[in-house]
Amino acid sequence: MTAGSAAAKPVGPRPIGSRRGGPARSNAVDGVPDHLRSGRERTSDPEPPPRWTPARRRQTRAALLFLSPWIIGLSIFTLVPMGWSLYLSFTKYELVTPPTVIGWENYRRMMADPQVATALKNTFIYAAMYVPTAILVSLGLALLLSRMMRAAGFFRTVYYLPVMTPGVAVAVLFSLLLNGNYGLINRALALVGIEGPGWLTDPTWIKPSIVVMSLWGLGGGIVIFLAALQSVPRDLYEAAEVDGASAWRRFRSITVPMISGAMFFQVIVLTIAAMQLFDKIFVIFGNPGAQTSASDASLFFVLYLFQQAFQQLRMGYASALAWLLFLIIMIITAIQVKVGNKLVYYEGDDAS
Amino acid sequence: MRPGAASAETGMTESLEASLRNGTVGRGPATGEAEQPAEPRPVHPTLRMAQVLAALFFAVIFLYPYAWLVSASFKDRQHVFDNRLIPMNPTWDNFVTIWQVAPLLRWFVNSGLVAFLAAVSVTVSSALVAFGFAYFRFPMRNVLFGLVLATMMLPGMVTMIPTFLIWKQIGAIDTRLPLWGANLFGSPFYIFLLRQFFLALPRDLFDAARMDGCTYFGLYRRIAVPLAKPALIMVFVFEVQASWNDLLKPLIYLHDKSLYTIPLGLNSLFVRYNPVAGGEGDYQYIITAALLSTVPMVVLFAVFQRYIVEGINLTGRA
């Protein structure tokens, strides 16, 4: 096959459809039978062919055109800002005067800043409370729904509805429900003779209250777990039952491994989101004049970052804070991935 | 025979392939209900009853805050906190007054405009880029796509400050542009999602079109886009929701009250009327505005529920 005829029609390795095509079609690509290819070049091979043909050159040019919005956006809104932010983190920059380089000063200050320690502590405590609870509750509800037949769709809709509520509205609503004096929750507790605390003013109860507020919107997790549960092959359970496995055993040895991938991903995504919690915190605690009495217990990291950057206009310091957060999130994610890879079961792990 | 082993990634395309084979693509994604397997064995009626009751109990818990909100918005100032599910003297006053005490209509229009621009631009650009990654083979493709995945995980806080400085430099503070402008360049999350969709389309279609002299853009415009319509709707709906609910960006970029979006406006009402934040204590206005702000999203969900559910399952992101 000459280069000319190759250019005449769109041959050449092609990603679309190659996964589902099966061997016959993808092998026939540019007419070389599979057994004549070198090992690297075989069908499953993701590498492009090494030579530049006119067809390939044209494909590359077209691909770059299609990719150009992303390439431009990546440069303007990701790469440049990342570099700039890193630079700013080593400067004193308060918008009115140009940034002056001050070396590691921002990072030193950060280490000594009691507010940073408080904000980090609060954020960690919240994440440590929220993520496991959210996983357990959404898995529990998904399990419940997976036992329903037609009604599952209805309940899924109901459980998901709060997710559609704007964060500000959620904060407004729950700040009223959790109001210490006349909120619904404390009124209900009073009926059974319990005097509820000031949920959003008592430092001990602030984080549990925010956890409850966030739990209201965990419908996404339910949807994901429900789908994962429904994709577990039935015959596994049937085989286990034939072998006399108890319900708990079936759950432990079939359900949990089969959905561990979904669970793992949920843990990572929820943790990253929890570390960056902002909307609800800002509405209830961040507004100027908001309940300052509780400011220490309700200072979350991104709120502090926001205040430093856009209220105090300490852009240099805030940039350093942003990098600290980035670093922390990366470390946590890396640990989770390392641990997760040991625990998560991937189909095809065991050759049976 | 398909090659067996399913990695996390191919697992996602698998369900799409199934829907392609069943010819459901183009008509809409397969929803959970369709795949629901038959109940394996009869369950004891008592157990069944307990399950339904438990599900109902949680449904009440999830819905009660809504019910409270709806009910309270029909109460006057004295009775807002009486916690009765059925208001004693229901009144429409709040719904009438709220339009006068706050420029609610303006906030709705602002939010709607921004959400529309944000969703259209991100859908079109992400689809272009996703098609580029899915159809073509070119050097460094995997490296570049790895970059897409890497930026998907990047916390927005890292780029927030310089991005603000960029918009400030352009003079875009107190305009709507920063709220949606970056969407013109695609979003990694949606690029990833749409690429999955495009990868599942049969290659033969494209080959046949190329033989008939179709251009690359024609492949995108006439084959890929029409076939991926459900995915595009999904992206559009996700972005409308994200944009409608976003507080941080409006907070940073908008000081001009006439540009306020719903979240920002609602927050300003909260500050104005919440006594804890130094306000006047007219909770009924905050409540009514909060209720109204959720209505468009509830409608969106009602109309596009199956796309939303499918989208969550495809991306694993809640």
Side-chain angles (χ1 to χ4, degrees):
Chain A
M1 180 179 279
T2 66
S5 73
K9 53 185 171 131
V11 291
R14 38 188 95 132
I16 283 188
S18 53
R19 273 228 199 88
R20 58 189 293 282
R25 196 175 54 201
S26 33
N27 278 11
V29 171
D30 62 24
V32 183
D34 201 38
H35 63 276
L36 294 182
R37 290 162 181 265
S38 69
R40 275 187 81 248
E41 254 187 292
R42 297 240 166 126
T43 35
S44 56
D45 163 19
E47 293 294 311
R51 280 173 301 106
W52 279 102
T53 61
R56 196 156 172 266
R57 212 185 294 272
R58 215 176 43 221
Q59 274 223 12
T60 304
R61 213 175 307 139
L64 284 178
L65 266 178
F66 275 96
L67 258 53
S68 55
W70 173 70
I71 293 172
I72 296 168
L74 181 77
S75 321
I76 302 179
F77 291 108
T78 306
L79 297 182
V80 168
M82 277 182 81
W84 196 350
S85 153
L86 193 60
Y87 162 73
L88 283 181
S89 77
F90 291 102
T91 66
K92 182 181 166 69
Y93 183 38
E94 299 182 348
L95 274 190
V96 273
T97 50
T100 44
V101 177
I102 52 168
W104 289 91
E105 189 50 39
N106 283 329
Y107 290 93
R108 265 196 292 273
R109 203 174 113 204
M110 204 159 71
M111 294 304 152
D113 186 343
Q115 302 260 76
V116 169
T118 309
L120 273 181
K121 197 184 83 191
N122 287 335
T123 309
F124 281 139
I125 292 176
Y126 165 77
M129 283 164 78
Y130 174 68
V131 176
T133 325
I135 295 283
L136 284 179
V137 175
S138 49
L139 178 57
L141 289 176
L143 275 169
L144 189 61
L145 294 196
S146 69
R147 301 298 147 89
M148 314 244 149
M149 287 155 68
R150 300 200 163 266
F154 165 76
F155 284 116
R156 189 184 57 195
T157 305
V158 170
Y159 296 167
Y160 191 79
L161 209 52
V163 183
M164 300 303 287
T165 314
V168 179
V170 174
V172 165
L173 175 57
F174 274 81
S175 76
L176 302 181
L177 293 178
L178 291 166
N179 185 298
N181 298 323
Y182 33 74
L184 175 71
I185 312 255
N186 277 1
R187 286 281 173 88
L189 288 176
L191 287 182
V192 290
I194 301 171
E195 195 189 328
W199 298 100
L200 296 172
T201 46
D202 183 343
T204 340
W205 289 103
I206 284 181
K207 279 175 283 286
S209 303
I210 298 166
V211 169
V212 168
M213 214 180 289
S214 303
L215 283 178
W216 194 51
L218 56 58
I222 300 176
V223 172
I224 290 165
F225 280 130
L226 185 58
L229 288 169
Q230 286 172 342
S231 68
V232 180
R234 283 288 148 204
D235 46 356
L236 288 182
Y237 291 112
E238 279 153 21
E241 220 165 334
V242 170
D243 292 345
S246 67
W248 168 247
R249 189 62 216 260
R250 290 198 299 271
F251 176 74
R252 257 315 273 119
S253 307
I254 300 174
T255 312
V256 172
M258 292 305 279
I259 64 166
S260 57
M263 200 186 299
F264 172 55
F265 193 62
Q266 277 293 289
V267 170
I268 290 181
V269 171
L270 288 181
T271 310
I272 294 178
M275 297 297 296
Q276 298 185 75
L277 183 74
F278 176 75
D279 287 22
K280 295 162 194 147
I281 302 295
F282 178 82
V283 173
I284 301 178
F285 303 108
N287 274 307
Q291 33 217 166
T292 40
S293 60
S295 65
D296 250 18
S298 61
L299 186 67
F300 280 61
F301 196 82
V302 173
L303 177 63
Y304 187 58
L305 202 169
F306 175 85
Q307 288 171 339
Q308 289 298 315
F310 297 105
Q311 290 173 354
Q312 316 281 333
L313 297 183
R314 292 180 188 140
M315 297 289 172
Y317 189 49
S319 297
L321 289 175
W323 277 90
L324 177 68
L325 180 69
F326 184 31
L327 200 70
I328 291 173
I329 290 180
M330 277 208 307
I331 292 172
I332 294 178
T333 309
I335 295 173
Q336 286 174 336
V337 168
K338 215 170 159 58
V339 174
N341 280 341
K342 279 191 200 136
L343 300 179
V344 172
Y345 169 83
Y346 292 106
E347 258 178 283
D349 264 5
D350 43 7
S352 62
Chain B
M1 257 301 202
R2 264 182 303 155
S7 70
E9 200 194 348
T10 52
M12 281 197 237
T13 50
E14 216 103 299
S15 74
L16 276 169
E17 289 167 24
S19 55
L20 272 167
R21 272 193 307 275
N22 305 332
T24 44
V25 155
R27 273 187 266 148
T31 53
E33 285 92 339
E35 297 154 1
Q36 211 148 307
E39 198 69 7
R41 69 210 139 86
V43 185
H44 195 279
T46 324
L47 184 61
R48 161 111 303 190
M49 189 58 103
Q51 286 167 352
V52 172
L53 284 178
L56 277 174
F57 171 76
F58 282 104
V60 169
I61 289 190
F62 276 102
L63 286 182
Y64 205 88
Y66 262 124
W68 188 91
L69 194 66
V70 173
S71 157
S73 60
F74 286 100
K75 297 171 184 169
D76 57 31
R77 186 174 163 150
Q78 270 73 45
H79 296 97
V80 164
F81 281 102
D82 67 3
N83 293 327
R84 279 169 198 274
L85 201 51
I86 311 290
M88 262 199 308
N89 309 304
T91 162
W92 287 96
D93 286 358
N94 298 335
F95 291 93
V96 177
T97 328
I98 186 71
W99 305 94
Q100 292 148 13
V101 299
L104 210 56
L105 189 63
R106 184 175 279 275
W107 297 342
F108 268 97
V109 171
N110 288 340
S111 269
L113 192 62
V114 169
F116 178 77
L117 289 171
V120 168
S121 51
V122 91
T123 310
V124 172
S125 57
S126 300
L128 272 172
V129 177
F131 183 75
F133 274 116
Y135 181 78
F136 300 102
R137 184 159 273 201
F138 48 92
M140 308 268 287
R141 188 182 58 152
N142 294 338
V143 176
L144 287 177
F145 193 68
L147 254 175
V148 173
L149 297 181
T151 49
M152 210 162 101
M153 289 296 173
L154 185 74
M157 296 303 138
V158 178
T159 53
M160 182 176 73
I161 291 169
T163 307
F164 166 77
L165 296 173
I166 290 173
W167 288 121
K168 192 168 144 48
Q169 207 73 50
I170 301 174
I173 304 297
D174 264 331
T175 71
R176 294 189 187 94
L177 189 62
L179 307 188
W180 64 274
N183 283 4
L184 285 169
F185 305 101
S187 148
F189 177 54
Y190 299 134
I191 293 172
F192 172 74
L193 191 155
L194 290 171
R195 173 180 165 272
Q196 296 294 113
F197 245 83
F198 290 144
L199 280 177
L201 298 177
R203 187 78 196 189
D204 301 348
L205 281 177
F206 295 97
D207 288 350
R210 281 296 282 167
M211 298 236 240
D212 292 343
C214 187
T215 61
Y216 285 128
F217 188 74
L219 296 184
Y220 165 76
R221 182 68 197 81
R222 293 206 219 144
I223 303 176
V225 164
L227 284 178
K229 221 188 208 157
L232 297 174
I233 292 175
M234 198 186 284
V235 168
F236 186 88
V237 172
F238 271 146
E239 188 60 23
V240 166
Q241 190 203 357
S243 168
W244 186 273
N245 293 349
D246 184 32
L247 171 69
L248 185 58
K249 277 211 278 300
L251 205 54
I252 294 175
Y253 293 107
L254 303 180
H255 307 289
D256 180 351
K257 286 202 156 71
S258 66
L259 290 173
Y260 271 22
T261 58
I262 281 283
L264 202 52
L266 194 54
N267 183 58
S268 73
L269 273 188
F270 190 61
V271 174
R272 188 163 134 208
Y273 289 122
N274 185 4
V276 186
E280 300 151 21
D282 284 300
Y283 283 107
Q284 72 278 20
Y285 298 144
I286 315 175
I287 288 167
T288 311
L291 176 67
L292 290 174
S293 78
T294 66
V295 170
M297 290 303 101
V298 172
V299 171
L300 191 75
F301 182 60
V303 176
F304 293 106
Q305 194 196 150
R306 57 194 194 127
Y307 296 100
I308 293 173
V309 168
E310 183 77 0
I312 294 166
N313 287 335
L314 273 176
T315 57
R317 212 196 262 200

